[in-house]
Amino acid sequence: MPERRTVALVTLGCARNEVDSEELAGRLEADGWHLVEDAENADVAVVNTCGFVEAAKKDSVDALLEANDLKGHGRTQAVVAVGCMAERYGKELAEALPEADGVLGFDDYADISDRLQTILNGGIHASHTPRDRRKLLPISPAERQSATDVALPGHGAPVDLPVDLPEGLAPQSGPRAPLRRRLDGAPVASVKLASGCDRRCSFCAIPSFRGSFISRRPSDVLNETRWLAEQGVKEIMLVSENNTSYGKDLGDIRLLESLLPELADIDGLERVRVSYLQPAEMRPGLIDVLTSTPKIAPYFDLSFQHSAPGVLRAMRRFGDTDRFLELLDTIRSKAPQAGVRSNFIVGFPGESEADLAELERFLNGARLDAIGVFGYSDEEGTEAATYGDKLDEDVVAERLAQVSRLAEELVSQRAEERVGETVHVLVESLDEEGVYGRGAHQAPETDGQVLLTSGEGLSVGRMVEAKVVGTEGVDLVAEPLPGSFGCSEEAGR
C-alpha cells in the first residue's frame, strides 16, 4: 500500500482564515491526504495567507519563505500559497515570490486536492488572475443566495464524498455546509456566519477580494455548531466581516436575534460569542439578546475606527464621540460587566490635532477592555489611497505611539475596575506555568486572559466561576469560588 500523501496547513491572519483552513483540511482528508501539524513533516506545506495590511502581508511572505527553506532538508517537496493575499494578488504574487510552487485563489478551494497533487507531481497550475469579487454576486442581496456557483470560503461547496469517509469530519448537510476538520483540540472554535461586506469604508480593500456580503443559512450554522459541540468545543465565536448585517439577504435583518438563543440551547456548549459588530448597525433588539440571553457572552466587538466626525466621514463611516458613548451607556445599563473592544486608525489623511484630541476624549470616556491602534498607510485599490492631505510618516508614527500609550493605560485601568467582580472563566491551558482561561469579556488571542490562582479539580474546557483579585496589565488574576465548576447556566452572563 503506497504511503499516504501528507499536508500541513499554516494559518495566518484572522479567525475567518482559521475556519477556511479547517474547510480545506476537511476536503483534503476526505480525499485521502494525511494532515500533519509541522510543515517539515509534510509533502506539501499550504500557507493560508493574510492580505489585510502591510505587516500581515510581510508575515505571510515570511511564512512562505520559511516553508520553502524546508525543501531539500526533509520531507517537504512543495509550498503553496492560499488565502487572502493569494486571492488578492494572484499572478503578481507568483511572479514576485517564485519560491511558492503554487498560488491558489478561492476558486481553487473546491478542487484543492487535485491542485496540490498536480503541484506535488511537478506540474504547474496557473495562478489565477485577481478580480473584484464584489462583481460576482448580484447587486441585490435578496438574489445572492441562488448564486451557488460562486466560491465562498467557509460556506462549503458540493463535494463528492467517498463511501469510507474518515471519522471526525463535519457532515455536509446542505449545498453550503462545509466539510470541516478541526486542526487543534482547543475548547473554542470559530463559526463563519457570513462572508464579504457591502460597506465601502475608504481605507479597506477587503470587499474587493472577499466579495459582497452573503449570509450562511441558519440551519448550516446550527448544524456545524452542533458538530463542534460533539467534538468537545465549549465556546464558539461567530465571525464574518460584519455580523450585524446577518440575514439581510435572507429577508430578515433581525435573524441574528433569533439565531443566538438557538445556538445557546445546543447541548455541550457553554458560551457563544459574537464578533465584528458595526456601531452604525447596532439595534436595540440585538443589544437586548446579547445582554440578557444565558450562555450568550455580553461581548461587543465594535468597529469604531475613530470618533471625530470629519475623519469618520472621510472614512465613509458614521457616528461621533457622543453617539458612541451613548451606545456604550445603553449596553452597560443592561449589562454592567459587558466586555467591549475596538480598533482605531490614527493619522488618517486630513486628521487634525483637534481630531486626535476628539479620539482621545472618546477613549478616555469609553472604558474599553481591549484597544487596537493602527497607523494609517495607503492600501492599494482603496479610495483613501487617492486622497490628498496625507500626513507625514513621522507624524503618523508619533500619533500612533501617543494613542497606543494612552490605550495601554486605559485598558489596564479597565482591568483594575474588574477587581472584585465574579467572572466565568473557560479554562484553556493548565500546566507548570499556571492555569489560564478567558472570561466572557475576553475573546481568544486579542483581549487578554485570566490567571486562576488554583487549578485543583480543573481541566481544559471546564467553566469555572472565579472572583477577580488582581491584575497584570490587561490580564486578570482570579480565585476560583468553591463549588463553582460547571457553572454553565450563567456562563455567558
Side-chain angles (χ1 to χ4, degrees):
M1 183 176 179
E3 188 175 6
R4 291 181 69 186
R5 303 163 295 177
T6 57
V7 59
L9 286 135
V10 180
T11 307
L12 294 93
C14 65
R16 300 185 293 274
N17 258 15
E18 294 172 6
V19 175
D20 294 348
S21 284
E22 293 196 348
E23 179 185 355
L24 291 174
R27 290 176 178 276
L28 288 167
E29 188 168 63
D31 201 45
W33 291 77
H34 177 57
L35 301 169
V36 296
E37 185 174 346
D38 297 323
E40 62 184 358
N41 298 324
D43 296 318
V44 184
V46 177
V47 180
N48 193 347
T49 61
C50 179
F52 181 37
V53 293
E54 287 304 320
K57 297 173 194 173
K58 182 181 183 303
D59 288 343
S60 295
V61 170
D62 289 346
L64 287 163
L65 293 175
E66 183 178 344
N68 181 71
D69 288 342
L70 297 173
K71 290 192 293 188
H73 300 285
R75 179 161 183 159
T76 308
Q77 301 174 51
V79 176
V80 175
V82 299
C84 291
M85 189 175 179
E87 173 64 36
R88 184 176 182 183
Y89 295 104
K91 292 181 178 179
E92 181 182 345
L93 176 61
E95 293 170 0
L97 197 70
E99 292 86 352
D101 299 286
V103 176
L104 306 182
F106 297 152
D107 292 335
D108 291 306
Y109 282 20
D111 301 308
I112 186 67
S113 178
D114 290 343
R115 300 288 186 265
L116 296 191
Q117 188 62 60
T118 295
I119 293 168
L120 187 59
N121 291 342
I124 297 175
H125 179 72
S127 301
H128 78 108
T129 301
R131 50 182 174 168
D132 189 339
R133 297 193 72 86
R134 290 171 294 190
K135 299 177 180 179
L136 301 184
L137 291 169
I139 295 176
S140 170
E143 298 176 5
R144 293 175 186 167
Q145 290 292 323
S146 60
T148 56
D149 59 333
V150 177
L152 299 170
H155 289 234
V159 177
D160 293 327
L161 300 179
V163 176
D164 55 342
L165 189 67
E167 293 184 2
L169 296 188
Q172 282 204 302
S173 56
R176 285 296 186 192
L179 193 63
R180 180 172 179 176
R181 158 66 78 182
R182 295 216 67 205
L183 293 175
D184 61 41
V188 60
S190 296
V191 174
K192 191 168 285 191
L193 196 62
S195 285
C197 186
D198 286 342
R199 302 184 71 86
R200 294 296 179 260
C201 300
S202 63
F203 56 84
C204 183
I206 289 176
S208 66
F209 56 85
R210 277 288 184 180
S212 298
F213 184 89
I214 182 167
S215 304
R216 292 183 65 199
R217 292 192 174 275
S219 58
D220 288 338
V221 176
L222 287 164
N223 287 335
E224 186 174 345
T225 302
R226 290 189 188 102
W227 173 79
L228 287 168
E230 291 169 358
Q231 303 298 306
V233 170
K234 299 300 180 182
E235 176 182 329
I236 65 160
M237 184 166 71
L238 299 176
V239 299
S240 76
E241 279 72 23
N242 178 9
N243 282 332
T244 33
S245 283
Y246 180 69
K248 73 175 189 178
D249 51 322
L250 294 171
D252 184 1
I253 191 59
R254 294 176 177 81
L255 193 55
L256 185 56
E257 286 92 307
S258 59
L259 176 62
L260 286 173
E262 291 188 71
L263 289 167
D265 284 341
I266 291 176
D267 289 341
L269 276 189
E270 300 281 4
R271 188 153 63 203
V272 177
R273 184 183 305 277
V274 184
S275 61
Y276 306 116
L277 300 169
Q278 286 289 342
E281 296 181 31
M282 290 301 294
R283 19 185 210 277
L286 181 54
I287 293 173
D288 287 343
V289 171
L290 288 170
T291 55
S292 65
T293 309
K295 294 190 180 182
I296 302 297
Y299 174 80
F300 294 81
D301 177 8
L302 294 163
S303 176
F304 289 120
Q305 301 299 345
H306 212 284
S307 72
V311 176
L312 286 169
R313 301 306 173 268
M315 290 179 168
R316 302 285 184 199
R317 297 177 68 84
F318 305 94
D320 55 48
T321 296
D322 293 331
R323 291 183 191 177
F324 291 163
L325 292 176
E326 182 179 349
L327 172 61
L328 295 178
D329 286 344
T330 298
I331 290 169
R332 291 181 174 128
S333 70
K334 297 175 181 295
Q337 292 184 319
V340 186
R341 82 168 323 275
S342 192
N343 294 322
F344 300 88
I345 299 173
V346 297
F348 195 79
E351 180 191 62
S352 66
E353 290 284 355
D355 293 329
L356 189 67
E358 184 69 1
L359 173 58
E360 292 182 331
R361 180 171 81 88
F362 171 69
L363 291 173
N364 278 296
R367 297 169 56 228
L368 301 177
D369 291 279
I371 300 171
V373 187
F374 301 89
Y376 173 81
S377 63
D378 285 339
E379 273 296 308
E380 56 191 287
T382 63
E383 180 183 354
T386 68
Y387 287 175
D389 204 11
K390 299 277 176 61
L391 276 64
D392 186 84
E393 288 185 6
D394 291 341
V395 174
V396 175
E398 181 181 335
R399 293 184 179 184
L400 174 61
Q402 175 182 329
V403 177
S404 295
R405 286 193 299 270
L406 175 62
E408 186 175 352
E409 294 174 6
L410 291 174
V411 295
S412 295
Q413 291 174 14
R414 178 66 182 124
E416 291 171 1
E417 291 178 15
R418 292 192 179 273
V419 173
E421 288 185 358
T422 297
V423 292
H424 295 88
V425 181
L426 177 66
V427 178
E428 293 188 303
S429 67
L430 193 153
D431 52 35
E432 64 276 1
E433 296 183 2
V435 182
Y436 290 91
R438 291 176 297 101
H441 69 286
Q442 297 167 314
E445 299 183 3
T446 60
D447 301 343
Q449 56 189 350
V450 179
L451 168 63
L452 294 172
T453 58
S454 172
E456 185 177 355
L458 294 179
S459 59
V460 172
R462 293 292 297 272
M463 188 74 76
V464 58
E465 190 176 30
K467 181 178 180 179
V468 180
V469 296
T471 65
E472 295 179 357
V474 71
D475 298 330
L476 305 181
V477 179
E479 180 180 321
L481 299 177
S484 66
F485 302 167
C487 48
S488 60
E489 290 187 5
E490 297 295 324
R493 300 295 299 281

